Amino acid sequence: MYLSAQENIVFYTDNFGCHKYTITKDKIIFEDEDREISKEYDGNEFKLAENGFYYLFGKIVIFQNNGFCYHPLIDFDNEEDTISHKAFIEELQKYTEEHNSFFPFKVFKTKYTASSELKEGKIVYSVNNLGTLFLPPDSKEGETVWNPGHKPWVEGKTGYGENEFVQIKTEKSFKSLEILNGYVDPNRTDLYKKNSRVKTFTIKDVDNNLEFDVHLDDCVYLNRIDLKQPTTNLILYIKEVYKGDKWDDTCISGIIPLLR
């Protein structure tokens, strides 16, 4: 489990940094700093399920350690709020697609290319999907919104995709990456384990003439990769995979360059 590699996990569930969760091996501490409320829960309420997703109090949560918490599934008190939220997300998604204003394109003018892409009928699991994981508002300080229509990049070669690659070029230097491994769909959690996931990337930093391997855990969270030097040009080669229970197609849901 991911917690074994960390002393604790800290994340927030609101834009203003008031609702804070600290997760340790033994307990979960919730703090509402605005109302000065603090509660403790049994650590068993946070768990990694067999499908690879993390659950907090029985709900799916996708998180970045020491960062914001992303809630793909939101519970509402009434049907009117649910319909209103759905309409808001659909409008936001339409705007971002029409204006090409997804986060990495907006900040870094990121270009994604790949050695191959899977095509199934009219559906193309394009490499550009790696930059459309979240919708605005997406400033460095703010919270991002899960893109409900998102699909992953899937390599298009026979077999498990070893030696296939993704290349990322940006106009502005970035210092780290966030990688969401596998086929991540909160409404179809079975697709994560049914498809293959990357176990090890060999990363080539073209700008700095560096090459190194990066290991990814087999669970759903935003893997942060700190680079040895700032760069504008990376190539990520699939070296090893976690084999899918049903398909050999290897999937990546997101690769996002970061300023910090």
Side-chain angles (χ1 to χ4, degrees):
M1 184 172 175
Y2 178 57
L3 276 179
S4 64
Q6 304 285 340
E7 287 187 8
N8 55 55
I9 294 170
V10 179
F11 61 85
Y12 296 85
T13 58
D14 68 308
N15 286 333
F16 306 104
C18 295
H19 297 168
K20 177 182 177 182
Y21 284 92
T22 302
I23 301 175
T24 72
K25 294 178 181 178
D26 305 311
K27 59 187 176 182
I28 302 167
I29 304 167
F30 169 72
E31 298 171 82
D32 185 332
E33 297 176 3
D34 186 40
R35 294 188 294 171
E36 297 183 350
I37 296 173
S38 179
K39 296 180 181 179
E40 291 190 6
Y41 302 92
D42 190 312
N44 291 327
E45 296 286 347
F46 176 78
K47 62 182 180 179
L48 173 61
E50 290 184 1
N51 60 8
F53 284 74
Y54 283 95
Y55 289 78
L56 180 63
F57 309 126
K59 300 177 186 177
I60 289 176
V61 58
I62 299 173
F63 67 89
Q64 173 195 6
N65 191 28
N66 295 320
F68 283 101
C69 169
Y70 306 106
H71 283 282
L73 303 181
I74 303 174
D75 288 344
F76 294 98
D77 294 331
N78 56 66
E79 186 177 354
E80 184 178 338
D81 286 345
T82 303
I83 294 171
S84 175
H85 179 76
K86 183 179 180 181
F88 166 74
I89 291 294
E90 288 176 351
E91 183 179 348
L92 195 57
Q93 183 180 358
K94 182 181 177 182
Y95 176 87
T96 54
E97 288 174 347
E98 289 176 351
H99 294 81
N100 195 27
S101 59
F102 292 97
F103 175 74
F105 293 100
K106 180 178 175 183
V107 176
F108 297 101
K109 293 185 171 59
T110 309
K111 282 190 64 177
Y112 297 92
T113 56
S115 52
S116 63
E117 298 174 333
L118 179 65
K119 297 179 181 179
E120 291 184 334
K122 295 181 179 180
I123 300 175
V124 179
Y125 293 91
S126 169
V127 69
N128 288 325
N129 294 345
L130 294 171
T132 61
L133 185 59
F134 299 114
L135 303 176
D138 52 20
S139 66
K140 184 171 64 173
E141 296 79 16
E143 185 178 30
T144 54
V145 178
W146 180 268
N147 177 3
H150 179 263
K151 293 187 184 302
W153 167 68
V154 184
E155 49 77 28
K157 295 294 183 181
T158 302
Y160 291 97
E162 290 96 338
N163 299 317
E164 293 302 289
F165 66 84
V166 171
Q167 185 164 14
I168 302 172
K169 291 185 178 181
T170 61
E171 290 188 8
K172 188 173 186 176
S173 294
F174 56 95
K175 297 179 181 178
S176 59
L177 294 172
E178 284 182 340
I179 300 176
L180 187 60
N181 200 13
Y183 196 131
V184 177
D185 183 343
N187 296 311
R188 286 289 310 277
T189 58
D190 59 307
L191 293 177
Y192 180 79
K193 284 294 182 75
K194 284 181 176 178
N195 288 280
S196 301
R197 293 83 60 195
V198 174
K199 184 176 184 179
T200 307
F201 270 128
T202 295
I203 297 181
K204 182 177 181 180
D205 181 343
V206 178
D207 286 353
N208 298 299
N209 195 27
L210 297 171
E211 189 170 304
F212 53 95
D213 287 351
V214 168
H215 173 82
L216 302 182
D217 294 332
D218 191 17
C219 50
V220 180
Y221 75 99
L222 287 157
N223 296 261
R224 182 187 173 101
I225 309 299
D226 292 318
L227 304 176
K228 299 179 186 299
Q229 299 287 339
T231 188
T232 64
N233 192 347
L234 283 186
I235 305 175
L236 295 87
Y237 296 91
I238 299 173
K239 183 176 181 180
E240 296 179 279
V241 303
Y242 298 103
K243 294 182 179 181
D245 294 340
K246 188 170 184 180
W247 298 295
D248 56 8
D249 305 314
T250 298
C251 310
I252 301 286
S253 287
I255 302 179
I256 302 171
L258 298 175
L259 289 168
R260 58 203 187 280

